[in-house]
Amino acid sequence: MSDVTTSTFDLTPPTDAQLQELAADLSEEESHVLLQHGTEAPFCGVFLTEKRPGLYTCRLCGLPLFKGGAKFESGTGWPSFTTPFAEGHLEYIRDTSHGMVRTEIVCGRCGGHQGHVFPDGPPPTGERYCINSVSLDFTPGDEPLPDKLGRGAPEGQVWSG
């Protein structure tokens, strides 16, 4: 992960009250995927064909997780990325569910389930971050990032990195 930068974002987890408030804003499907480690159906996610420059953020807490330029077409039915936004923005968990061994990825700040990472991606990393669209929000490159926890800059500002 040599292309991963150091974060300038506050990675302190939300309080229980903040997490409850954020979760109250989720749809049933978003809640199932983000909070109960579910998976959306393939080939139906809203970000599957998204190609604009910008940042993909955690749908639950707003932390940037992937840059638009790291997205690629994997043919798997879910948005796929080669590199996370910054070190610490994702946590990696051994997942032995469904009779296989995989690496689950969750938001490094709120713990919301994002998807899985596999070692079969393209260069430069050889990794494929396979993500549920409902776990993400998208901020076009010319718009301010969400500041769902009221933490201030760089959240709430246009990302120039």
Side-chain angles (χ1 to χ4, degrees):
M1 283 195 252
S2 59
D3 291 346
V4 179
T5 60
T6 304
S7 180
T8 57
F9 289 79
D10 183 351
L11 299 180
T12 306
T15 65
D16 288 343
Q18 287 173 317
L19 200 53
Q20 287 177 4
E21 186 176 323
L22 294 170
D25 186 44
L26 299 175
S27 71
E28 187 176 322
E29 182 181 24
E30 291 166 340
S31 180
H32 173 70
V33 172
L34 282 159
L35 303 176
Q36 299 163 12
H37 304 264
T39 301
E40 69 185 354
F43 299 103
C44 69
V46 298
F47 296 126
L48 191 58
T49 59
E50 178 63 63
K51 297 193 186 318
R52 294 176 292 167
L55 292 179
Y56 292 87
T57 59
C58 175
R59 168 66 182 91
L60 190 56
C61 76
L63 183 68
L65 302 178
F66 300 98
K67 296 176 185 174
K71 188 169 181 287
F72 71 98
E73 177 53 53
S74 67
T76 62
W78 291 277
S80 296
F81 301 86
T82 57
T83 311
F85 176 81
E87 192 172 324
H89 284 225
L90 293 172
E91 289 186 12
Y92 301 80
I93 301 167
R94 181 181 164 94
D95 177 2
T96 58
S97 64
H98 306 292
M100 61 183 112
V101 177
R102 304 179 289 177
T103 302
E104 177 187 8
I105 47 178
V106 299
C107 175
R109 178 160 68 187
C110 71
H113 173 73
Q114 299 298 316
H116 292 83
V117 61
F118 301 95
D120 61 1
T125 63
E127 294 179 322
R128 174 174 53 94
Y129 289 80
C130 188
I131 308 299
N132 294 286
S133 283
V134 297
S135 295
L136 299 171
D137 274 332
F138 179 74
T139 302
D142 58 348
E143 294 182 17
L145 291 170
D147 188 7
K148 294 183 176 194
L149 297 171
R151 296 188 174 173
E155 295 175 68
Q157 299 184 347
V158 175
W159 179 252
S160 61

